[in-house]
Amino acid sequence: MEKTGIEEAGGTPPLPTSPSIPPNVKPEQVAPPKRSVISRRGVGTNGRRISLLTNHFKVSMNVSDAMFYQYSVSITSEDKRVVNGKGIGRKVIDRLYLTYSSELAGKKFAYDGEKSLYTVGPLPQNNFEFTVVVEELLARSANGSPGANGSPSGNGKRPKRSLQSKTFKVAISYAAKIPLKSIVLALKGSEVDNNAQDALRVLDIILRQQAANRGCLLVRQSFFHDDSRHFTDVGGGVTGCRGFHSSFRTTQGGLSLNMDVSTTMILTPGPVIDFLLANQNIRDPRHINWEKAKKMLKNMRIKTKHSNMEFRITGLSEKPCNLQHFPLKMRNSDDANDEDQTVEITVYEYFTKHRGIELSISAYMPCLNVGKPKRPNYLPLELCLLVSLQRYTKALSTMQRSTLVEKSRQKPQDRIRTVTDAVKNYQYDEDPVLSACGISIDRQLTQVDGRVLEAPKLKVGNSEDCIPRNGRWNFNHKKLLTPVRIERWAVVNFSARCDTSHLSRELINCGRNKGILIERPHTLIEEDPQSRRASPVARVEKMFEIVRAKLPGPPEFLLCVLPEKKNSEIYGPWKKRSLSDFGIVTQCISPTKINDQYLTNVLLKINTKLGGTNSLLAIEHTSCIPLIKDTPTMILGMDVSHGSPGQADVPSIAAVVGSRCWPLISRYRASVRTQSPKVEMIDALYKPLANGNDDGMIRELLVDFFQTSNGRKPAQIVIFRDGVSESQFNQVLNIELEQIMKAYQHLGEVDFPNFTVIVAQKNHHTKLFQAGAPENVPPGTVVDTKIVHPRNYDFYMCAHAGMIGTSRPAHYHVLLDEIGFSPDDLQHLIHSLSYVYQRSTTAISIVAPVCYAHLAAQQMGQFIKFEDLSETSSAKRAITTEESVPVPELPRLHENVRGSMFFC
């Protein structure tokens, strides 16, 4: 907290004077949050015991009364501009420490790269002002002006080098004290206050500063070395760079350092020419699209081969290197009194004749411009190398992503070795700031006890029992539990390489074996080859015209064969026309090999979308689920899908799925809306309209539950929320839950149901390993001691079987439990919900409602991905945020498919 000036000097701050309040005005009270995160109620006991290791390293604190002092830092340049860049900021602060170490009493500090630095114990005074000089090596022309192209001196010799000095003003002022003791209190289970969070953040900053001093790229709490052994080329001029995540965490077992392998994407370092060829997927430089290259290269950092100097690209020259002129000052003689003569010369001629550098491919290409708008400086492309560790923040293609996953996965034993070696090599104990706190870090993985829950028994066709083995089961010689009958259907083919006649025959035969009776398709529709040159929307429209012409009425189902397996541009327009405009269930496929396993997986999706059930939990089949069997219970899964990195104007898609047909917990319906980009809290759960109606997502799901559960209203609601961080837990409890309650109340209800609110996280860095085996932990592994929160109710569960790489457990946080589940009952419910995912025959890594919400958001997001919004604006409504930025609203599903599991 900020202190006043008197407080800084050690005096007593004056009491603030309250402004006078008129007697008829009541002062507004700031209401505290209605709900807070609950504390742990115990631990589970069910399951087989298992000895585990985890990538947490025990941290000892021998000086628990140490005090961090936070100081605000302001850096301004000579022209009074505030310096915000982290790179230059660190250079300035490093130079400051070297220059003014005695004034700072030799105190070591941790700098966050922006506006704060931290010391153990106070500096000699509360306020400082320093002048810091940072020197940079520059090439200079004969007249003393810097030239990126190495402008020559008059006699054509190499340009002179000089050090350019830049002066900065640095103001340091005391801001706050952060006691290390707050961490000790948090470890004892007290309410975590801001001091404890701040102290942990300072410890993380110390590690980040260490990494920065080693020249690492910093990305949040991860760091990456410039080491080609850790690079993985994924194509397109993009490279995966392996590094490490590190963060201090308070746990039941004490303070720990969570260290994990992390990967970020960088531009492939090396020749700019090679990057452009890879990025545009071409082999011949003559085929480079220079408009595309100009956009891609802007702001990239390059280093020159001839001078080994670094610059930032600002653009491309308008003309090729052999035609791009610039003025060059030349001396007529060696006499210093002679006036310089300015001549026009091409960049190509300058480098080949005046610098003696051979250029083999640059003559007919544009030059890189590394200058300013009014003072361009040009460099031939082949002399430029992309500097390493430049982040690539755009979305990866499907091929790049699959390559990255394949090449970067590590087996459990390899990951253990990588992480433990990193902790040993970095020698954190020797850091002077950590040493001043008496902090030491163990170099061995933490041992922890786990339990393996028994897999739930399933029911398939003919009420036959199906017992999963190692988190898997199959439908070999088995029928689906409630298969559908398909009479009116057709196949539409956008792919030139698929034999739809063979496909339909095999699908019918496979369906018969699984209990699904499929009649012969009414028609097989092939796309006219001439239509493939049209836009995706036009191709889809043309196909639907043929469907309407060839079919006597609406089909129950359409099988759509796409030309590409993933990211087909046909997918979005096809789904929109099918689900929103015509209300026809559709299944998109792009088969490469048609066999029984592939067709069975397709049939699982088709059967679910058309209202069938593939399998149920045995306890669900007999209505024996603890705490749910006797009380109408609704299960919600909530998720928000955001646009790809760099797409700041793409709306976020919020999806909520709700269970139906109580007492089942395997059937769901989805409600999906758009909202402002990058907003995580769902804002359309309750949406009152001017006419008094509620157009929110929850009302839709509550009404559906009532209609499909024999007129029963939910007396209990279990909410699984995905995608939120710990800092947003209170918003889930006090904003989103409040909206859900208002939606319930709007339906005329007085008594609220009991709520259990659980956050499901996959985006964390805790890994579990078997202590005595090289394989991944078995499916059903649960850990709810030692590495969990010292106060809050959380646990780790690895429900799935990790066949490749290292398994990542789901981290569940119980924020509220009015229903009153015992730890064993809650863990059993969550484990069971990993086996009700109708799309597959494996246990999934996180509960099915969350996966369904993610699928629904992803699929509905395709509706607007390929649309030209301007063309269809008359058919769209727009919601407007507080900033008056219009957010296109998703088309609503046709009533024929609204209650289906269309997202499967």
Side-chain angles (χ1 to χ4, degrees):
M1 190 173 67
E2 293 283 342
K3 305 290 181 76
T4 64
I6 294 180
E7 210 172 356
E8 290 172 3
T12 304
L15 294 172
T17 56
S18 301
S20 57
I21 302 173
N24 60 337
V25 175
K26 224 176 168 182
E28 184 180 349
Q29 299 292 324
V30 178
K34 289 185 179 180
R35 302 173 193 85
S36 57
V37 177
I38 64 170
S39 56
R40 187 180 304 280
R41 293 180 176 173
V43 296
T45 57
N46 290 344
R48 170 175 60 88
R49 305 290 168 181
I50 186 171
S51 182
L52 303 170
L53 298 171
T54 182
N55 57 337
H56 286 235
F57 297 83
K58 184 175 177 57
V59 177
S60 301
M61 292 190 299
N62 299 323
V63 189
S64 60
D65 59 347
M67 186 75 70
F68 288 120
Y69 282 73
Q70 178 183 352
Y71 293 85
S72 297
V73 177
S74 172
I75 304 174
T76 53
S77 57
E78 290 173 291
D79 54 5
K80 310 298 183 185
R81 287 189 301 179
V82 176
V83 174
N84 292 317
K86 291 185 180 180
I88 188 63
R90 290 191 186 278
K91 284 182 183 177
V92 171
I93 295 300
D94 287 346
R95 174 58 62 180
L96 179 147
Y97 186 79
L98 291 173
T99 310
Y100 299 102
S101 178
S102 58
E103 284 85 343
L104 299 173
K107 272 200 173 294
K108 299 286 186 179
F109 52 74
Y111 175 54
D112 68 356
E114 294 178 340
K115 296 181 179 180
S116 296
L117 61 81
Y118 303 86
T119 64
V120 180
L123 294 175
Q125 60 194 63
N126 288 335
N127 297 286
F128 295 89
E129 280 198 5
F130 297 110
T131 299
V132 179
V133 178
V134 177
E135 296 175 334
E136 288 185 337
L137 184 65
L138 290 180
R140 289 185 173 268
S141 62
N143 63 3
S145 60
N149 54 13
S151 300
S153 57
N155 55 15
K157 295 180 181 179
R158 290 185 176 275
K160 299 175 183 177
R161 297 277 186 93
S162 64
L163 288 173
Q164 183 192 40
S165 297
K166 291 186 178 180
T167 304
F168 299 89
K169 295 286 185 183
V170 182
I172 299 176
S173 58
Y174 168 80
K177 292 180 185 178
I178 303 171
L180 197 62
K181 188 177 181 181
S182 59
I183 295 179
V184 178
L185 296 176
L187 291 171
K188 291 178 179 178
S190 65
E191 291 259 6
V192 178
D193 60 9
N194 288 337
N195 275 337
Q197 295 295 345
D198 289 344
L200 289 172
R201 187 166 54 85
V202 174
L203 294 179
D204 287 336
I205 288 169
I206 295 170
L207 298 191
R208 284 172 58 81
Q209 177 171 276
Q210 259 204 33
N213 292 341
R214 290 193 295 267
C216 293
L217 167 67
L218 304 181
V219 182
R220 292 181 291 276
Q221 289 182 284
S222 297
F223 55 92
F224 304 89
H225 291 272
D226 185 9
D227 186 343
S228 59
R229 293 174 298 175
H230 299 156
F231 291 175
T232 299
D233 184 14
V234 299
V238 182
T239 291
C241 179
R242 194 180 76 191
F244 296 95
H245 163 93
S246 65
S247 62
F248 287 94
R249 301 190 66 83
T250 52
T251 69
Q252 274 189 1
L255 186 63
S256 71
L257 174 66
N258 180 206
M259 194 85 171
D260 192 23
V261 175
S262 182
T263 302
T264 194
M265 308 315 298
I266 62 172
L267 300 168
T268 302
V272 174
I273 289 283
D274 292 352
F275 169 80
L276 290 176
L277 295 176
N279 182 253
Q280 298 189 16
N281 194 25
I282 54 177
R283 294 183 178 181
D284 192 334
R286 291 174 298 179
H287 299 150
I288 292 175
N289 180 332
W290 292 108
E291 276 303 312
K292 185 177 177 182
K294 183 178 180 180
K295 292 178 182 177
M296 177 58 70
L297 292 173
K298 190 173 176 62
N299 291 323
M300 289 185 186
R301 300 195 322 275
I302 55 104
K303 182 176 283 189
T304 55
K305 292 180 181 179
H306 61 291
S307 64
N308 201 34
M309 294 181 62
E310 199 172 304
F311 304 100
R312 188 177 295 276
I313 300 171
T314 57
L316 297 178
S317 62
E318 295 180 0
K319 298 176 181 178
C321 185
N322 63 348
L323 297 178
Q324 183 65 54
H325 289 80
F326 72 98
L328 176 66
K329 288 185 178 180
M330 303 278 289
R331 289 181 185 170
N332 292 324
S333 67
D334 290 335
D335 189 345
N337 296 321
D338 284 355
E339 291 186 3
D340 293 343
Q341 179 184 1
T342 301
V343 297
E344 287 288 322
I345 188 173
T346 66
V347 177
Y348 181 83
E349 185 182 355
Y350 164 69
F351 276 95
T352 54
K353 293 185 177 180
H354 292 267
R355 296 295 304 274
I357 298 172
E358 183 180 346
L359 299 178
S360 58
I361 59 173
S362 295
Y364 302 102
M365 297 181 185
C367 303
L368 294 183
N369 183 1
V370 294
K372 297 179 180 178
K374 293 184 179 179
R375 190 185 177 92
N377 287 304
Y378 300 115
L379 291 167
L381 267 167
E382 65 187 276
L383 297 184
C384 301
L385 306 170
L386 283 178
V387 173
S388 191
L389 296 185
Q390 296 187 73
R391 281 192 75 196
Y392 179 82
T393 57
K394 297 183 180 179
L396 296 181
S397 68
T398 304
M399 185 65 72
Q400 287 173 324
R401 188 170 295 279
S402 61
T403 302
L404 177 66
V405 170
E406 183 180 344
K407 291 185 177 180
S408 63
R409 65 171 65 113
Q410 284 184 302
K411 293 179 180 178
Q413 295 302 307
D414 293 335
R415 187 170 289 246
I416 288 175
R417 194 178 307 111
T418 301
V419 170
T420 51
D421 286 351
V423 173
K424 291 174 184 175
N425 294 337
Y426 292 141
Q427 300 177 334
Y428 290 128
D429 293 354
E430 297 180 9
D431 183 276
V433 184
L434 289 180
S435 298
C437 305
I439 285 181
S440 60
I441 301 170
D442 199 348
R443 299 187 180 186
Q444 299 299 321
L445 298 177
T446 296
Q447 292 187 336
V448 62
D449 293 328
R451 293 172 290 112
V452 182
L453 303 182
E454 186 179 353
K457 188 187 297 182
L458 304 176
K459 285 286 185 180
V460 294
N462 302 321
S463 294
E464 183 183 347
D465 286 342
C466 179
I467 301 175
R469 305 289 182 191
N470 195 32
R472 294 173 172 271
W473 64 100
N474 60 59
F475 281 97
N476 294 341
H477 313 297
K478 297 184 184 72
K479 297 188 184 300
L480 306 185
L481 183 65
T482 54
V484 297
R485 182 186 180 100
I486 304 174
E487 297 178 346
R488 300 186 318 279
W489 69 292
V491 182
V492 298
N493 186 15
F494 288 98
S495 173
R497 54 182 173 77
C498 182
D499 180 353
T500 53
S501 179
H502 171 69
L503 171 65
S504 60
R505 285 196 305 271
E506 292 299 307
L507 189 70
I508 291 170
N509 292 336
C510 185
R512 187 184 303 115
N513 295 333
K514 303 298 178 279
I516 302 177
L517 295 178
I518 308 175
E519 300 293 339
R520 292 179 62 185
H522 188 279
T523 184
L524 306 175
I525 304 173
E526 303 289 333
E527 183 183 34
D528 182 348
Q530 299 299 319
S531 299
R532 291 185 187 127
R533 299 176 183 177
S535 69
V537 173
R539 292 172 69 182
V540 167
E541 193 58 47
K542 182 68 175 174
M543 187 65 81
F544 265 105
E545 288 177 9
I546 301 172
V547 169
R548 286 197 297 264
K550 288 198 172 187
L551 270 65
E556 300 171 64
F557 163 70
L558 287 174
L559 184 67
C560 175
V561 183
L562 297 175
E564 297 94 18
K565 189 171 183 180
K566 288 190 176 180
N567 290 345
S568 171
E569 293 189 343
I570 300 291
Y571 184 85
W574 175 261
K575 284 290 184 181
K576 178 183 177 296
R577 290 295 274 162
S578 302
L579 297 174
S580 181
D581 299 337
F582 293 105
I584 301 171
V585 171
T586 179
Q587 177 63 46
C588 293
I589 61 173
S590 181
T592 52
K593 186 195 296 185
I594 298 174
N595 54 28
D596 185 75
Q597 182 181 350
Y598 176 80
L599 293 173
T600 298
N601 288 336
V602 171
L603 285 167
L604 292 178
K605 299 175 184 179
I606 294 171
N607 190 58
T608 304
K609 290 178 179 181
L610 291 173
T613 303
N614 303 328
S615 62
L616 288 178
L617 300 167
I619 55 172
E620 184 182 14
H621 190 252
T622 55
S623 302
C624 294
I625 304 175
L627 289 183
I628 290 178
K629 61 179 180 177
D630 299 322
T631 309
T633 304
M634 183 181 191
I635 297 177
L636 297 178
M638 300 165 51
D639 188 27
V640 178
S641 176
H642 304 292
S644 302
Q647 295 180 315
D649 57 342
V650 175
S652 292
I653 311 291
V656 182
V657 300
S659 61
R660 57 207 311 254
C661 309
W662 174 81
L664 299 184
I665 58 173
S666 294
R667 302 291 304 175
Y668 291 84
R669 170 178 173 152
S671 182
V672 188
R673 302 283 194 278
T674 49
Q675 60 187 42
S676 298
K678 310 302 180 187
V679 173
E680 184 56 49
M681 290 296 115
I682 302 176
D683 62 12
L685 297 171
Y686 172 64
K687 191 176 178 184
L689 302 177
N691 61 9
N693 293 333
D694 173 18
D695 189 37
M697 305 161 80
I698 296 300
R699 178 192 180 281
E700 184 181 324
L701 300 176
L702 287 171
V703 170
D704 180 74
F705 181 91
F706 178 81
Q707 292 173 345
T708 61
S709 304
N710 297 318
R712 303 294 295 272
K713 302 169 185 175
Q716 300 178 154
I717 298 180
V718 181
I719 301 170
F720 289 97
R721 181 63 161 95
D722 185 33
V724 293
S725 62
E726 292 181 36
S727 63
Q728 296 169 313
F729 287 176
N730 278 322
Q731 290 176 273
V732 172
L733 280 179
N734 294 290
I735 298 176
E736 290 187 338
L737 181 57
E738 190 71 21
Q739 297 299 304
I740 293 171
M741 295 174 72
K742 285 181 179 179
Y744 194 87
Q745 197 173 33
H746 191 275
L747 291 171
E749 299 301 314
V750 178
D751 296 325
F752 290 114
N754 289 324
F755 289 94
T756 292
V757 182
I758 303 164
V759 169
Q761 292 179 334
K762 285 287 286 182
N763 190 22
H764 62 85
H765 287 274
T766 293
K767 300 291 190 300
L768 302 174
F769 310 94
Q770 292 198 64
E775 299 86 12
N776 273 308
V777 297
T781 298
V782 177
V783 173
D784 57 3
T785 59
K786 202 163 184 177
I787 58 169
V788 295
H789 197 280
R791 174 189 176 275
N792 296 350
Y793 187 0
D794 67 324
F795 57 90
Y796 295 91
M797 180 181 290
C798 193
H800 66 297
M803 307 307 289
I804 51 178
T806 303
S807 297
R808 177 186 295 178
H811 192 186
Y812 292 100
H813 303 259
V814 185
L815 308 189
L816 181 70
D817 184 23
E818 296 173 342
I819 296 175
F821 288 99
S822 70
D824 280 323
D825 284 344
L826 186 59
Q827 290 170 10
H828 178 64
L829 173 65
I830 289 174
H831 187 222
S832 297
L833 283 170
S834 300
Y835 281 80
V836 302
Y837 191 57
Q838 297 293 303
R839 284 167 53 103
S840 71
T841 55
T842 60
I844 53 177
S845 60
I846 207 159
V847 289
V850 162
C851 287
Y852 286 146
H854 181 72
L855 281 174
Q858 200 174 44
Q859 190 167 133
M860 293 288 281
Q862 296 290 330
F863 281 19
I864 59 174
K865 184 174 181 181
F866 299 109
E867 281 190 328
D868 181 357
L869 298 178
S870 62
E871 290 179 2
T872 57
S873 59
S874 60
K876 284 185 175 290
R877 291 178 293 146
I879 0 176
T880 304
T881 64
E882 292 177 359
E883 295 82 11
S884 298
V885 177
V887 178
E889 188 169 341
L890 285 172
R892 298 296 171 92
L893 294 174
H894 193 282
E895 60 182 359
N896 291 353
V897 296
R898 209 166 284 162
S900 72
M901 293 179 69
F902 68 89
F903 42 82
C904 273

